[in-house]
Amino acid sequence: MKSIAVVTGASSGVGREFVSQLCDHKGGPLDEIWIIARSKDTLEEIAASSPNVAVRPIPLDLMDDASFATLEQMLEDERPCVQWLVNSAGFGVFGSYGDVGKDANANMIRLNCLALVQMTSVCLPHMRPGSCIVNLASIAGVVPQPYLATYSASKAFVLELSRMLNHELRGAGIHVIAVCPKFMRTKFLDKPGDGDAATAMTRIGFERVDRVVRLALRLAVLGYPMSISSPTMQLAALAAKLLPRECIFFVEDLLFGRLGKKA
Ligand SMILES: NC(=O)c1ccc[n+]([C@@H]2O[C@H](COP(=O)([O-])OP(=O)(O)OC[C@H]3O[C@@H](n4cnc5c(N)ncnc54)[C@H](OP(=O)(O)O)[C@@H]3O)[C@@H](O)[C@H]2O)c1
């Protein structure tokens, strides 16, 4: 039986780095990597230039239900073992809830939450003991972020779902890890919505994509349920666990220059 990885959001940023490190066997031996995003040309370029492992471009829009039927059929036809599922496709829009607007608020839930759930449902029947699911959450899912509210809530969903699935699937030998980075320099910030809000919030600093991915793969193999790679964000996560929400929001308003701001 062929052993594969399925990576969403593979055309850019974190997903693309996962493809690169999986090609370097950082996740163990693989026969093929199936890469998913909308940008067909970019996926084909990545497939053509990837060494060591065969990479199959699968251009799909994960906000379209028909995409999951397509993938389900491909898996049904070929019956591979899905050794890795990396759910990296996602986006975030900064700004007050009203300014972000109804379409962007709904689409963040469609891609960050619903598509991740649908990908998991489609791939799980093809997983075996030792398979791993890597879900891109965010530190915004651990430390709640007003002015990035729907995104932050979507990532809290990803984090909690990952923890519960990791527990549920233990008996099946399938491991689920939630990855919680702070900001990284990817296309994520290309269309931020409220640019001022984004600039203020990125004062917490940036992490390197390659390090986030390397640690995520290592911790996934070791069976950890969660990866927070930034030491300062580990402290922030502890504070978020101990302090009331209002206290967290006050510190964030102070840090990001929002004291007295009205939505
Ligand atoms: N960068 C950060 O600061 C940061 C921090 C914490 C967490 N994260 C999380 O990390 C993950 C990866 O983000 P990134 O930084 O790599 O951002 P990115 O560079 O913008 O990559 C996003 C990926 O998602 C794909 N995508 C977007 N809409 C899609 C759709 N409808 N259907 C299928 N694929 C779609 C994009 O490809 P196409 O456009 O080709 O479809 C792209 O491959 C996200 O879940 C994000 O929330 C990012």
Side-chain angles (χ1 to χ4, degrees):
M1 184 193 285
K2 176 161 80 173
S3 177
I4 69 165
V6 179
V7 181
T8 75
S11 64
S12 166
V14 179
R16 190 172 182 154
E17 181 64 27
F18 266 105
V19 175
S20 165
Q21 295 200 20
L22 287 169
C23 277
D24 287 343
H25 306 301
K26 298 271 167 49
L30 286 168
D31 297 305
E32 220 170 88
I33 304 177
W34 293 11
I35 61 172
I36 298 173
R38 291 164 303 178
S39 315
K40 184 169 182 278
D41 292 351
T42 310
L43 292 182
E44 284 172 356
E45 278 163 32
I46 293 169
S49 62
S50 292
N52 308 329
V53 183
V55 173
R56 187 190 300 196
I58 307 176
L60 292 174
D61 182 348
L62 295 181
M63 290 202 285
D64 178 355
D65 274 343
S67 297
F68 302 97
T70 303
L71 186 64
E72 193 166 28
Q73 193 58 55
M74 289 175 71
L75 288 166
E76 222 15 72
D77 290 346
E78 300 195 26
R79 300 200 154 274
C81 165
V82 178
Q83 183 65 29
W84 290 91
L85 166 62
V86 179
N87 283 306
S88 189
F91 77 102
V93 180
F94 294 76
S96 69
Y97 186 82
D99 285 349
V100 169
K102 64 176 172 21
D103 290 345
N105 277 315
N107 285 338
M108 276 185 271
I109 300 301
R110 282 195 186 101
L111 185 62
N112 301 356
C113 302
L114 183 58
L116 179 143
V117 166
Q118 289 170 298
M119 282 299 302
T120 304
S121 301
V122 166
C123 290
L124 202 48
H126 299 275
M127 296 188 135
R128 301 283 177 272
S131 293
C132 286
I133 301 174
V134 179
N135 287 333
L136 261 295
S138 165
I139 197 62
V142 183
V143 185
Q145 301 291 324
Y147 300 95
L148 188 56
T150 301
Y151 177 79
S152 184
S154 77
K155 294 301 181 177
F157 170 90
V158 171
L159 174 58
E160 288 306 324
L161 181 72
S162 305
R163 282 173 163 152
M164 288 182 272
L165 281 188
N166 187 47
H167 182 78
E168 268 187 40
L169 295 172
R170 198 164 288 171
I174 297 168
H175 182 61
V176 185
I177 186 168
V179 183
C180 302
K182 61 177 179 181
F183 292 107
M184 296 167 287
R185 296 189 196 282
T186 65
K187 292 188 177 158
F188 180 80
L189 288 166
D190 281 4
K191 289 185 197 155
D194 180 341
D196 292 339
T199 304
M201 290 164 87
T202 53
R203 278 181 204 155
I204 63 168
F206 289 82
E207 288 191 82
R208 273 179 40 193
V209 180
D210 60 330
R211 285 163 76 154
V212 169
V213 170
R214 194 169 307 118
L215 185 68
L217 286 172
R218 201 175 300 149
L219 294 186
V221 169
L222 291 174
Y224 282 74
M226 187 178 179
S227 170
I228 302 180
S229 34
S230 154
T232 50
M233 291 304 108
Q234 288 171 4
L235 283 179
L238 183 64
K241 209 182 265 182
L242 299 176
L243 297 173
R245 285 290 181 260
E246 280 312 316
C247 213
I248 299 285
F249 295 155
F250 175 78
V251 173
E252 287 175 346
D253 285 349
L254 192 67
L255 197 62
F256 303 144
R258 296 191 305 234
L259 275 184
K261 180 180 164 92
K262 300 217 173 5

